[in-house]
């Protein structure tokens, strides 16, 4: 298993172009939010009670982050909880179908942005090499935030 430093180094290798980096600062959090929201919109069987698929995906991602870094795990514990709370409110406001449509459109637009960034970079997206990079993108951004405010991400 790769260490957090190995993951971040590999991810950073494909994200050097300033415009690609800027696009990632916008699109990665948007994709993170829309993925949780889209899973939130999947109807759940009655036996699941108040737990929905958005929460399940969030908890599974937390296991991955915990295996890499306790500080990043804590950051995603907070960020994901905020995303889920906001998603819950928007789900109630728009209704399942409308919210899913909005999220789907935003998700596609954000991915178009990502691919434009990678075209400028001249590199294919990292997740083509390993699907786990889909979870490293948000960690890559969070580790920069931690560095800026003087918190160790390890």
């Amino acid at each position: 298993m790769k260490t957090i430093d190995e993951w971040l180094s590999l991810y950073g290798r494909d994200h050097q172009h300033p415009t690609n980096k800027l696009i990632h600062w916008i699109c990665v959090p948007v994709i993170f939010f829309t993925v949780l929201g889209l899973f939130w919109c999947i109807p759940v069987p009655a036996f699941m009670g108040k737990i929905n698929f958005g929460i399940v995906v969030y908890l599974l991602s937390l296991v991955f982050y915990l295996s890499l870094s306790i500080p990043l795990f804590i950051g995603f514990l907070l960020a994901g909880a905020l995303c889920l709370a906001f998603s819950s409110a928007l789900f109630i406001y728009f209704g399942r179908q409308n919210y899913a449509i909005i999220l789907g459109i935003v998700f596609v637009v954000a991915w178009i942005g990502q691919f434009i960034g990678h075209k400028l970079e001249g590199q294919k997206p990292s997740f083509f090499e390993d699907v786990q990079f889909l979870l490293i993108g948000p960690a890559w951004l969070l580790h920069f935030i931690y560095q800026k405010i003087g918190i160790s991400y390890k």
Side-chain angles (χ1 to χ4, degrees):
M1 180 172 197
K2 292 180 184 79
T3 67
I4 187 61
D5 285 327
E6 290 169 326
W7 279 115
L8 296 175
S9 175
L10 290 169
Y11 192 84
R13 164 196 73 194
D14 298 333
H15 300 85
Q16 298 293 312
H17 192 282
T19 303
N20 188 29
K21 285 182 178 180
L22 175 62
I23 289 169
H24 276 65
W25 275 99
I26 296 165
C27 293
V28 167
V30 168
I31 291 168
F32 181 80
F33 177 80
T34 59
V35 166
L36 289 179
L38 286 165
F39 277 102
W40 189 279
C41 290
I42 298 172
V44 295
F47 74 84
M48 288 180 68
K50 294 191 184 275
I51 302 229
N52 66 39
F53 292 110
I55 293 170
V56 171
V57 168
Y58 168 59
L59 293 174
L60 291 172
S61 70
L62 284 176
V63 171
F64 178 77
Y65 293 126
L66 182 60
S67 73
L68 295 175
S69 160
I70 291 174
L72 289 176
F73 164 81
I74 292 168
F76 283 107
L77 185 67
L78 299 172
L82 287 172
C83 285
L84 289 175
F86 190 49
S87 197
S88 174
L90 292 173
F91 179 89
I92 292 166
Y93 181 78
F94 288 111
R96 181 184 316 275
Q97 184 175 357
N98 290 336
Y99 187 45
I101 290 168
I102 292 165
L103 288 169
I105 292 167
V106 172
F107 178 84
V108 168
V109 169
W111 271 108
I112 290 169
Q114 294 282 80
F115 283 106
I116 290 169
H118 279 285
K119 181 71 174 170
L120 293 170
E121 183 82 45
Q123 296 285 343
K124 64 182 181 198
S126 300
F127 75 88
F128 284 169
E129 178 183 325
D130 187 333
V131 73
Q132 293 177 88
F133 278 114
L134 292 171
L135 290 170
I136 297 301
W140 186 68
L141 297 178
L142 187 57
H143 107 278
F144 284 120
I145 294 169
Y146 278 16
Q147 286 178 332
K148 185 79 170 170
I149 61 176
I151 297 174
S152 174
Y153 64 90
K154 296 181 192 181

